[in-house]
């Protein structure tokens, strides 16, 4: 179970001690789907049929919408059927106030059964590659910088040139980086083992991604960025491999 609650202009997603800003597009989609539900027909009128259509409390997704001190909607979203020939879908929904089972447009209702993780902000980095002017990499036993000179050439910290095409390729991967697996059990103890710091125009605070050694299997690292308070899990590939490079990569 989890809740979504409006907090000023934002929505907060909360569950079991975790409270974070919800992804705005997911909340908008949920509210739109809730508003667009239309009944096609009443499929059954008896409680004995609830389990068959998965609208009983044990199997259904229970959705309650509240506002202005009132309950605006209270429903159980059950089975979802997709018909390949007609490319249409039907969901079965029961209002908490009665025993009737309604058949409704499945495309509108299927979005009401989203998991908590779907509403969380998964953005790790979001920036314009053209704004980036400096990258600082730090890992055990190795730290280096690459910076953009006044003439647009990328240089290593010692003044030697690096492969601008490799830098451009790397910067393209930074424009929109998302995580997928959260490391909610990580407590953030100790300093990070690896960091990537990004500086640039229109980035007064810059951006930073910190990697921490983690024992949360199967991940080796828990990481977070200055753009998101959540910790994400990564093994030695995945986000770690995408974001952490050695100097040889750029030469």
């Amino acid at each position: 179970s989890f809740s979504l609650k409006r907090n000023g202009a934002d929505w907060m997603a909360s569950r079991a001690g975790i409270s974070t800003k919800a992804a705005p597009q997911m909340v908008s989609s949920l509210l739109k789907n809730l508003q667009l539900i239309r009944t096609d027909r009443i499929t059954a009128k008896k409680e004995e049929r609830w389990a068959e259509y998965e609208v009983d409390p044990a199997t259904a997704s229970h959705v309650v919408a509240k506002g202005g001190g009132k309950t605006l909607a209270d429903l159980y979203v059950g089975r979802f059927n997709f018909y390949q020939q007609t490319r249409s879908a039907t969901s079965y929904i029961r209002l908490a106030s009665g025993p009737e089972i309604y058949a409704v447009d499945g495309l509108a209702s299927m979005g009401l059964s989203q998991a908590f993780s779907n509403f969380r902000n998964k953005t790790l980095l979001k920036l314009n590659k053209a704004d980036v002017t400096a990258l600082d990499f730090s890992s055990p036993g190795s730290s280096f910088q690459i910076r953009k000179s006044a003439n647009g050439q990328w240089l290593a910290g010692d003044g030697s040139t690096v492969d601008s095409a490799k830098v451009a390729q790397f910067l393209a991967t930074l424009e929109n980086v998302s995580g997928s697996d959260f490391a909610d059990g990580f407590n953030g103890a100790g300093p990070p083992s690896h960091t990537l710091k990004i500086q640039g125009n229109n980035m007064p605070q810059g951006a930073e991604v910190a990697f921490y050694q983690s024992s949360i299997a199967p991940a080796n690292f828990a990481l977070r960025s200055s753009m998101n308070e959540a910790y994400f899990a990564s093994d030695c590939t995945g986000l770690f491999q995408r974001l952490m490079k050695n100097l040889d990569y750029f030469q």
Side-chain angles (χ1 to χ4, degrees):
S1 297
F2 66 95
S3 66
L4 298 167
K5 188 174 182 178
R6 191 191 298 272
N7 182 17
D10 298 320
W11 281 83
M12 302 299 293
S14 303
R15 184 188 70 177
I18 299 170
S19 186
T20 183
K21 285 185 180 179
Q25 69 275 16
M26 290 299 299
V27 177
S28 296
S29 177
L30 173 68
L31 295 175
K32 183 178 180 180
N33 286 334
L34 189 61
Q35 186 180 29
L36 291 177
I37 289 177
R38 296 291 182 270
T39 301
D40 291 333
R41 64 186 183 279
I42 295 177
T43 300
K45 297 183 178 181
K46 295 183 178 181
E47 183 175 344
E48 289 79 4
R49 306 289 299 278
W50 288 2
E52 177 185 350
Y53 290 95
E54 299 177 9
V55 294
D56 56 312
T59 55
S61 295
H62 187 195
V63 181
V64 181
K66 298 180 179 180
K70 300 179 180 179
T71 296
L72 306 177
D74 190 344
L75 46 89
Y76 291 84
V77 183
R79 204 174 76 199
F80 175 81
N81 290 341
F82 182 76
Y83 308 103
Q84 189 69 38
Q85 281 189 324
T86 59
R87 306 295 296 176
S88 62
T90 298
S91 287
Y92 299 94
I93 290 179
R94 175 178 64 85
L95 299 179
S97 58
E100 295 86 358
I101 302 170
Y102 298 91
V104 304
D105 174 22
L107 297 179
S109 62
M110 65 183 297
L112 301 180
S113 300
Q114 299 285 340
F116 172 65
S117 61
N118 292 344
F119 290 94
R120 298 181 69 173
N121 178 11
K122 297 181 176 67
T123 299
L124 195 70
L125 289 174
K126 193 173 183 64
L127 49 84
N128 184 348
K129 64 182 180 181
D131 288 338
V132 179
T133 58
L135 298 168
D136 292 79
F137 297 84
S138 177
S139 58
S142 175
S143 297
F144 69 95
Q145 304 171 343
I146 58 174
R147 299 182 181 276
K148 195 174 186 180
S149 65
N151 64 5
Q153 178 67 49
W154 283 91
L155 305 174
D158 60 2
S160 61
T161 59
V162 295
D163 189 333
S164 294
K166 286 287 189 69
V167 176
Q169 183 180 10
F170 179 72
L171 293 180
T173 70
L174 299 183
E175 286 203 298
N176 196 349
V177 182
S178 297
S180 56
D181 299 318
F182 292 95
D184 291 328
F186 184 73
N187 60 14
S193 60
H194 301 70
T195 60
L196 165 61
K197 297 180 180 180
I198 306 164
Q199 300 176 45
N201 302 318
N202 304 312
M203 300 171 62
Q205 304 300 322
E208 180 177 345
V209 181
F211 292 78
Y212 300 83
Q213 296 289 337
S214 170
S215 60
I216 302 175
N220 303 97
F221 298 98
L223 62 137
R224 71 187 304 185
S225 81
S226 55
M227 296 183 177
N228 193 329
E229 76 279 7
Y231 285 98
F232 293 89
S234 176
D235 57 15
C236 292
T237 59
L239 288 170
F240 181 87
Q241 189 176 63
R242 179 177 177 180
L243 297 176
M244 291 306 302
K245 303 296 183 183
N246 53 40
L247 184 57
D248 290 344
Y249 174 85
F250 298 103
Q251 293 177 329

